[in-house]
Amino acid sequence: MFDRLKSLAGLAVVVCTMAFLAPSLAAAQSDPLPSWNDTAPKAAIVAFVKKVTTDGTPDFVPEPERVAVFDNDGTLWTEHPMYVQLAFALDRVKAEAPNHPEWKTTQPFKAVLEGDMKALAASGEKGLVELIMATHAGMSVDEFQKTVTDWITAARDPRFKKLYTELVYQPMLELLSYLRANGFKTFIVSGGGIEMMRPWTERVYGVPPEQVVGSSIKTQFEMKDGAPMLFRLPQVNFIDDKAGKPVGINEHIGRRPIAAFGNSDGDLEMLQWTTLAPGARFGLIVHHTDAEREYAYDRDTEFGRLDKALDAAAVNHWTVVDMKNDWKRIFPWN
Amino acid sequence: MFDRLKSLAGLAVVVCTMAFLAPSLAAAQSDPLPSWNDTAPKAAIVAFVKKVTTDGTPDFVPEPERVAVFDNDGTLWTEHPMYVQLAFALDRVKAEAPNHPEWKTTQPFKAVLEGDMKALAASGEKGLVELIMATHAGMSVDEFQKTVTDWITAARDPRFKKLYTELVYQPMLELLSYLRANGFKTFIVSGGGIEMMRPWTERVYGVPPEQVVGSSIKTQFEMKDGAPMLFRLPQVNFIDDKAGKPVGINEHIGRRPIAAFGNSDGDLEMLQWTTLAPGARFGLIVHHTDAEREYAYDRDTEFGRLDKALDAAAVNHWTVVDMKNDWKRIFPWN
């Protein structure tokens, strides 16, 4: 009988432990956004997804129409102290300098080689375009893809000393997965170079190359020694920023999104195009408010200015994420 | 006992019938391409698909990389007596003529309104571009989508008196489904207008808007009375034909296809880009050889000339479909 009592006691312990743990287990199992605090943005996201996926309601959206678009710089990964693509361009100038002795005496290359950020800024947009053309053109698409892949798997940021693909926002990774689990197709719509993103977005974000929309330069098909190649020309093809984003969305996707996620004025028109239409719509802006864990900036910054779009968010009732208050953690490695 | 014999006899009949029918049933169930005759092209397609989907072989291709690209005009639907999009443009000129009295005395509009095909041909490429700009621009993308949808659901071809979406090739519909059932993503890559195709390709071909690549005009984002719109401008954005096809594929898809299906010289570079690379690759040309059931044309035609690409098919060992010999039926309604 003593054995039977021990068994019953053991069973009671197990049952009580399970009863105690069950809510946490259930919560852990049912919370698809564990890095989000239980504040308004999380609730708004979940409410929207429930709305469009519940059959028989007027807000139901058939699965093929569940298109979500995400900006990249400042929305999915960091854009301070500078756009990652600019850091890439600067590194490429330094790497290619031996082949271009004339860069030592020509701006903006001189500024880059001397680390003179003031002179670089002074060269303005014209200087930036020259930098991009010199480092992003004049090779085949395969060669450029290799250059990007080699760099993105080695270069580290100056502050956290992490690979740039580690400076992605864990709450947004969870959001991407959550949307896909609910039948959404997730696209990136970025002002950054389309071929800077495609080599790694599938691995890091679960977004395949055919679902990446970005800026591009012109390419040209050539048969060279019996083998076909696509050559990157030093000419702008398309700038997928600001009023360009709805154009890029229409060209690449051909459907109007029902959810858009951005962080700066470059996303204003994308958010307008997505949300100012009939039916269930969702717009969200990531506001950089956390200087301690990441960076704090909005109306007065070189990279990722958030000014008009923040005002528009209030008028149009878009969800604004306060990174400091709304995110339990920022990076996957936190 | 007599009843028992009758039961046994009945059972024997059933068993024998099943044994007799089983091969046909099995064949019907296992033949994904029933409208294809058992000739070389069908065997080549099946062999290729088996090759890239069989795990553990050197030719195995992971599912995300199974990209198949299809031309539209002359490959998936008819392009004689003229491109469907040209028939659309001519109908639109006639429909809009009351708003443009000046067209009565201006070429190429005069030629269209008078049904003067000779004068229309004489106006050449310049005249064609003017026609396209006049009928495909100057409205919002939503308005144009409605115009296309209204037309494609009503207009009939002059010979078979069918809707153009009924003049699709049943064997190719089966091929699209077969590839998708084997993990392929099917894209359309056409010289035709991207927004002429997107309103109906999902319904007819199972190819959603985001998987349609085509020629396009420029669009512009505008906020009009607080509502966002995309306006179609009378300027060419991109021509997705010939050497443009690999460029369009790279821009929209960002992956190199492993299978390409075309029918004319406009598909030469797409076939080269797809097949002249390492790994398992497949190229196919649909050769129009059947004047009785459809149209017969190749080296000498206004629409869909097949000349250099037919020679290249021999050199590069692409599969050539002889519509007369290789297809049991052409259209779904045959």
Side-chain angles (χ1 to χ4, degrees):
Chain A
M1 195 194 78
F2 198 52
D3 288 327
R4 201 172 291 166
L5 279 175
K6 269 168 64 174
S7 302
L8 279 172
L11 185 60
V13 168
V14 170
V15 169
C16 290
T17 307
M18 284 174 70
F20 179 71
L21 283 177
S24 318
L25 284 170
Q29 277 163 3
S30 67
D31 184 2
L33 304 171
S35 301
W36 294 69
N37 285 323
D38 284 309
T39 49
K42 179 173 181 173
I45 290 165
V46 173
F48 168 74
V49 171
K50 277 196 161 66
K51 202 158 71 162
V52 301
T53 55
T54 306
D55 229 323
T57 68
D59 288 322
F60 177 75
V61 175
E63 199 171 309
E65 295 169 36
R66 293 179 207 159
V67 172
V69 290
F70 286 79
D71 171 56
N72 186 30
D73 301 321
T75 300
L76 294 179
W77 76 353
T78 55
E79 62 186 348
H80 276 212
M82 67 176 68
Y83 296 132
V84 176
Q85 187 159 5
L86 180 55
F88 169 78
L90 300 185
D91 279 358
R92 291 304 299 151
V93 166
K94 292 168 196 161
E96 288 294 302
N99 300 328
H100 294 273
E102 73 280 9
W103 285 356
K104 279 193 222 145
T105 49
T106 323
Q107 294 294 10
F109 306 98
K110 183 175 190 291
V112 174
L113 294 171
E114 292 173 353
D116 185 350
M117 289 296 118
K118 236 179 175 159
L120 181 59
S123 73
E125 197 176 301
K126 184 178 174 296
L128 188 63
V129 171
E130 280 189 68
L131 273 181
I132 297 291
M133 290 309 166
T135 53
H136 289 53
M139 75 288 283
S140 74
V141 299
D142 288 344
E143 284 162 350
F144 188 68
Q145 184 178 335
K146 184 177 186 307
T147 302
V148 169
T149 301
D150 289 347
W151 187 83
I152 206 82
T153 48
R156 289 180 181 269
D157 80 292
R159 177 181 171 190
F160 302 104
K161 311 287 192 270
K162 295 286 183 184
L163 298 177
Y164 289 102
T165 48
E166 294 177 295
L167 300 180
V168 295
Y169 306 138
Q170 177 64 24
M172 298 305 278
L173 299 186
E174 291 166 9
L175 176 56
L176 284 160
S177 296
Y178 174 55
L179 289 173
R180 285 193 293 262
N182 280 279
F184 278 78
K185 228 173 184 172
T186 52
F187 291 81
I188 288 173
V189 178
S190 167
I194 199 171
E195 297 197 38
M196 273 292 302
M197 294 183 285
R198 278 175 162 166
W200 53 268
T201 55
E202 188 164 31
R203 170 172 66 84
V204 176
Y205 297 139
V207 177
E210 60 268 23
Q211 285 167 218
V212 176
V213 184
S215 298
S216 54
I217 59 166
K218 287 208 184 296
T219 53
Q220 186 168 277
F221 177 85
E222 295 169 12
M223 286 295 285
K224 202 174 169 189
D225 306 321
M229 68 177 277
L230 271 178
F231 197 77
R232 292 171 63 82
L233 303 172
Q235 296 164 34
V236 171
N237 178 48
F238 178 64
I239 301 295
D240 187 54
D241 194 31
K242 299 190 175 68
K245 287 202 176 186
V247 173
I249 287 169
N250 184 59
E251 176 77 16
H252 275 251
I253 306 176
R255 287 198 217 258
R256 201 141 169 198
I258 63 166
F261 304 85
N263 79 291
S264 78
D265 286 355
D267 304 312
L268 175 65
E269 290 83 353
M270 174 173 83
L271 284 154
Q272 290 171 329
W273 179 242
T274 298
T275 63
L276 301 176
R281 305 272 163 172
F282 192 81
L284 179 146
I285 283 180
V286 175
H287 189 184
H288 291 258
T289 53
D290 196 331
E292 197 184 309
R293 296 189 297 174
E294 203 239 358
Y295 300 96
Y297 58 92
D298 45 42
R299 298 185 195 273
D300 183 26
T301 177
E302 278 305 311
F303 303 103
R305 176 165 306 164
L306 175 61
D307 182 18
K308 290 188 293 181
L310 193 56
D311 298 335
V315 170
N316 296 310
H317 310 291
W318 298 333
T319 296
V320 178
V321 168
D322 177 324
M323 284 172 81
K324 192 171 174 187
N325 289 339
D326 296 325
W327 284 357
K328 268 192 192 104
R329 60 175 172 161
I330 309 278
F331 303 115
W333 43 269
N334 281 152
Chain B
M1 196 191 84
F2 198 53
D3 288 329
R4 201 174 289 168
L5 279 173
K6 267 166 69 176
S7 302
L8 279 173
L11 183 63
V13 168
V14 170
V15 169
C16 290
T17 307
M18 285 175 69
F20 180 71
L21 283 177
S24 318
L25 284 170
Q29 279 164 0
S30 67
D31 185 0
L33 304 171
S35 300
W36 294 70
N37 285 323
D38 282 311
T39 50
K42 179 173 180 172
I45 290 166
V46 172
F48 168 74
V49 171
K50 278 197 162 66
K51 202 159 72 163
V52 300
T53 56
T54 305
D55 228 325
T57 68
D59 289 323
F60 176 75
V61 175
E63 199 172 308
E65 294 169 34
R66 292 179 206 160
V67 171
V69 289
F70 286 77
D71 170 54
N72 187 28
D73 300 322
T75 301
L76 295 179
W77 74 353
T78 55
E79 60 186 351
H80 275 211
M82 67 176 68
Y83 296 132
V84 176
Q85 187 159 6
L86 180 55
F88 168 78
L90 300 185
D91 278 359
R92 293 301 302 151
V93 167
K94 292 168 197 160
E96 288 294 301
N99 300 327
H100 293 273
E102 73 281 11
W103 285 355
K104 280 192 219 141
T105 50
T106 322
Q107 293 296 8
F109 305 99
K110 184 176 191 290
V112 174
L113 294 171
E114 293 174 352
D116 185 350
M117 289 297 118
K118 236 180 174 156
L120 181 59
S123 73
E125 199 177 299
K126 184 176 173 296
L128 187 63
V129 171
E130 280 189 68
L131 273 182
I132 297 291
M133 291 307 165
T135 53
H136 288 54
M139 75 290 282
S140 75
V141 298
D142 288 343
E143 284 162 351
F144 188 69
Q145 185 179 336
K146 183 178 187 308
T147 301
V148 169
T149 302
D150 288 348
W151 186 83
I152 205 82
T153 49
R156 290 179 181 270
D157 81 293
R159 177 181 171 189
F160 303 104
K161 313 285 192 272
K162 295 286 183 184
L163 297 177
Y164 289 102
T165 48
E166 294 177 296
L167 299 180
V168 295
Y169 306 138
Q170 177 64 25
M172 297 304 277
L173 299 186
E174 291 165 9
L175 175 57
L176 285 160
S177 296
Y178 173 56
L179 289 173
R180 285 193 293 263
N182 280 279
F184 278 79
K185 229 173 182 172
T186 53
F187 291 81
I188 288 173
V189 179
S190 167
I194 198 172
E195 298 197 38
M196 272 292 303
M197 293 182 285
R198 278 175 163 166
W200 53 269
T201 55
E202 188 163 32
R203 171 173 63 86
V204 176
Y205 298 139
V207 177
E210 60 268 23
Q211 286 167 218
V212 176
V213 184
S215 299
S216 55
I217 59 166
K218 288 208 184 294
T219 54
Q220 187 168 278
F221 177 85
E222 294 169 12
M223 286 294 286
K224 203 174 169 189
D225 305 322
M229 67 176 277
L230 272 178
F231 197 77
R232 292 171 63 81
L233 303 172
Q235 298 163 34
V236 169
N237 178 51
F238 178 64
I239 301 295
D240 186 55
D241 195 32
K242 299 190 174 70
K245 286 201 177 188
V247 173
I249 287 169
N250 184 61
E251 175 79 14
H252 275 252
I253 306 177
R255 286 198 217 259
R256 202 140 169 199
I258 64 168
F261 304 85
N263 79 290
S264 78
D265 286 356
D267 304 313
L268 175 64
E269 290 83 352
M270 175 173 81
L271 284 154
Q272 289 170 331
W273 180 241
T274 298
T275 63
L276 301 177
R281 305 272 164 172
F282 192 80
L284 179 147
I285 283 181
V286 175
H287 188 184
H288 290 257
T289 52
D290 195 332
E292 198 185 310
R293 296 188 297 173
E294 202 238 357
Y295 300 97
Y297 58 92
D298 45 44
R299 301 186 194 270
D300 183 25
T301 176
E302 277 307 308
F303 302 103
R305 176 165 305 161
L306 176 61
D307 183 18
K308 291 187 291 181
L310 193 56
D311 299 335
V315 169
N316 297 309
H317 310 290
W318 298 333
T319 296
V320 179
V321 169
D322 177 323
M323 284 172 79
K324 192 169 174 192
N325 290 339
D326 296 326
W327 283 358
K328 267 192 193 106
R329 60 174 173 163
I330 309 278
F331 301 115
W333 41 270
N334 282 153

